[in-house]
Amino acid sequence: MEIRRLWLMLRELPRGGSKDVMNHGDLIAGNVLVSGGRLAGVIDVGGLGPADPALDLVSAWHLLDTRPRRAFRDHLGCDELEWERGRAWAFQQAMGLVWYYHDSNAPLSRMGRRTLERVTADTPY
């Protein structure tokens, strides 16, 4: 799907009935600690604050390939709207990562490109 058309759809998603919850908002590889293949901790909590609960779902696209992402979603039991809002947040973050870090932090820029590939590949339309 064309990225512009995808963004037009994702940015219009309704919030639904979910209330703000405490949220990290930047769950990328550099901010999660893993030990023995399991999540051991989360760092960089300076931006911790109330937000759409779907914002923390960005980790599904930033960190996981298709099969683990499906298992993650199944485990969480997200409804379709919340999952799509998480995808929208991941898309928005990835777009910023690609261009903002293009010259100053190539690994973050590449992560943004990889996330965009994952977000667009999951498009059911």
Side-chain angles (χ1 to χ4, degrees):
M1 169 177 279
E2 178 188 324
I3 288 181
R4 183 179 308 217
R5 209 168 85 210
L6 176 60
W7 176 238
L8 288 173
M9 290 186 313
L10 292 176
R11 73 180 189 178
E12 298 297 327
L13 292 170
R15 173 65 183 263
S18 60
K19 296 181 180 179
D20 285 356
V21 297
M22 196 56 69
N23 199 289
H24 185 279
D26 192 22
L27 290 175
I28 62 173
N31 292 337
V32 296
L33 304 175
V34 177
S35 178
R38 299 184 62 86
L39 179 66
V42 176
I43 61 172
D44 190 22
V45 295
L48 195 66
D52 178 358
L55 180 54
D56 274 344
L57 294 175
V58 299
S59 61
W61 288 272
H62 287 319
L63 304 173
L64 304 173
D65 290 325
T66 303
R67 289 180 66 197
R69 190 169 46 253
R70 285 186 189 135
F72 180 65
R73 180 184 178 177
D74 291 346
H75 179 75
L76 292 176
C78 298
D79 66 26
E80 189 66 26
L81 177 58
E82 185 174 22
W83 189 251
E84 285 298 292
R85 283 196 334 270
R87 188 165 73 117
W89 284 114
F91 180 90
Q92 180 267 336
Q93 284 186 0
M95 290 297 291
L97 289 168
V98 169
W99 72 267
Y100 186 80
Y101 291 109
H102 183 264
D103 294 324
S104 64
N105 191 331
L108 272 180
S109 182
R110 282 192 302 272
M111 185 192 80
R113 288 185 190 283
R114 186 177 59 248
T115 297
L116 284 175
E117 290 170 7
R118 290 171 175 168
V119 166
T120 57
D122 280 356
T123 304
Y125 315 105

